[in-house]
Amino acid sequence: MTAMNQALTLPLAPPRLPWTRRALTWTRSQLFPSAGHSLLTLGVIALLCWCVPAALNWLVFDATFVGEHARDCNPAGACWLPITQRWNLFVYGFYPQAEQWRVTLSFVLAGSAFGLLFFKRLDRRLLLAYLALLPIVMWWLLKGGAGLPEVSSTRFAGMLVTVFLGTAGMIFALPLGILLALGRRSKLPVVRLLCVLYIELVRSVPVISLLFMASLMIQLFLPPGSAFDILLRVQLVLILFTAAYMAETLRGGLQNLPRGQYEAAQALGFGYWKTMGQIILPQVLKQSIAPLLTQFIGLFKETTLVMIVGVLDIVGIAMSTAVTPEWVEYGHEIYVFLAIYFFVICFALSRYARHLEQRMEQSRS
Amino acid sequence: MISKAKSDPALMVRIEQLNKWFGNAHVLKNISLNVEAGEKVVICGPSGSGKSTLIRCINQLEQHQQGTVEVLGEELNGSVKGLERIRRQVGMCFQHFNLFPHLTVLKNCTLAQTSNLGVPQDQAIERALSLLDKVKMRDHANKFPSQLSGGQQQRIAIARALCMQPKVMLFDEPTSALDPEMIAEVLEVMTSLAHEGMTMICVTHEMGFARKVADRIVFMDQGEIVEEAPPERFFSAPESPRTQRFLSQIINHGVHAQ
Ligand SMILES: Nc1ncnc2c1ncn2[C@@H]1O[C@H](COP(=O)(O)OP(=O)(O)OP(=O)(O)O)[C@@H](O)[C@H]1O
Ligand SMILES: [Mg+2]
């Protein structure tokens, strides 16, 4: 009787095999389940054996990290000197040396926003306030005024441009996208028409032409003499452009949410904004994490297009480095560095989205 | 004559000459229905007869085109602010529960209180827990709706509506999406609610429940109220042949009757 009770209450654990056996079964079932699979597995292993050591040798083991001139480079490996030597330029652009702490500080602020997003316990209002203020504070730090010496934005270049455009772009594009998506489904015909018109117009024009318009045409509409900072203009274009795409993503989510959710909220006396803010959008945003992330990453990479209208972002600095006589031979390294730079940031974003999704999964089961 | 009914303070819901169209389909035809405080009205009728549409006009989930709908002495028309105030006093339970899947059971029950009634958080939680207790779901307060059975979800939906301390409760086929063994637990909650004196308007095919609880049964067919009678007379001596046909069908198919 007691034995039977015990058997009933003890959870039945799956039989544990020794790890060697488990490794063997795993290998067999995952890597060599059939002749075709085995061939593929062997092929991939061969490919990796062939290119990984070569790549590592070139990138790290035979590479030159310290030195001053092109002649210090080991010709067998990569030469990272154009980057290390011009690191300051890559990061701060032409920002005056004495004021560079402001750039560093704004990087730290942007970075800590990313860090804060990982804290589950943080009060949501605090986080939102931080995010809302971040672009403004960053702009003030970078540009100066109100106590800080002013720095002309023609001196902005390099990572500083990418990070500023990326961060502020993401922070403003999402709320604007949400408003547009809601407007597109609004009951008010004028609001709906405006939103549809806006979204369709923006989506049917390449971002490059929008950037050109921003850099050339806006000047025509503004009163003469008033200068609207070029960096802010391209920032505006990036935000407006990304928001239109986000609006479409979110509209899909809004449409797919069962009508019963709206009805239950209405029946409980929620008004329009409360229904959206507390019932509908939390569900839609959660479902849309993956496509929104794609757009965030897209935005981040599109910041490189600002080069076309004369703003030197990190790609601009890289290209100008690649054509200086001293480093003209090291174009490969410079572009590999760019690839790594963008990969690291986009990969971090993608990991964060994954983390968010998992956190929401966990809170439901 | 309209003003006479209007001045009756015991009237919770007053519907006069209500007409509603979906496009060209005339789905509610000259409906008049009064519900007094504490009354339990069961609405039944064949599928597509307009039961849901009628009950949804009472909290304006559907807008009517003609006639008067008056709830708690206030006429419902286009004005939004008044509508939200009325909706907070009219609870509704749906066929498919419509709990908010991103919130815990407890939060489902407190959100509307704190956000729409301005009840302080701790008071809202207290009220929610006592009502969850009443529907025997207090132990599940921290779960999410997706972790619960249909019957449990429907009981929570009832508790959620009751948290607003409504004066009238509307039920739109609350048990018809449930497996038979879960129907009883939901009906039990509804019956005890009825015994406490709640005003209830209930679309259902549970004839056993109707016989036991209803003060009046309203039979609808093709957008009209065909017959309106207390349960004894409704079941024993239905007047209209349409009612007779409906009752014989429902009793022959047996599932819903007792
Ligand atoms: N949103 C809508 N748009 C168009 N027609 C509708 C809509 N909702 C309901 N109808 C139509 O109105 C009529 C009445 O529908 P209603 O849902 O009120 O019926 P019901 O009596 O609740 O039926 P059931 O027992 O199947 O729930 C039906 O003919 C239905 O097709
Ligand atoms: Mg119905």
Side-chain angles (χ1 to χ4, degrees), chain A residues 38-56:
Chain A
S38 308
L39 216 63
L40 199 65
T41 304
L42 290 176
V44 169
I45 290 175
L47 196 72
L48 288 177
C49 287
W50 176 60
C51 66
V52 169
L56 279 180

Side-chain angles (χ1 to χ4, degrees), chain A residues 259, chain B residues 22-23 25 27-28 45-54 56 62 95 172-173 203 205:
Chain A
R259 227 180 66 178
Chain B
F22 280 117
V27 296
L28 292 180
S47 180
S49 56
K51 308 175 300 282
S52 299
T53 312
L54 173 60
R56 288 154 61 87
E62 301 289 356
Q95 186 174 0
D172 189 359
E173 305 204 31
V203 175
H205 290 149

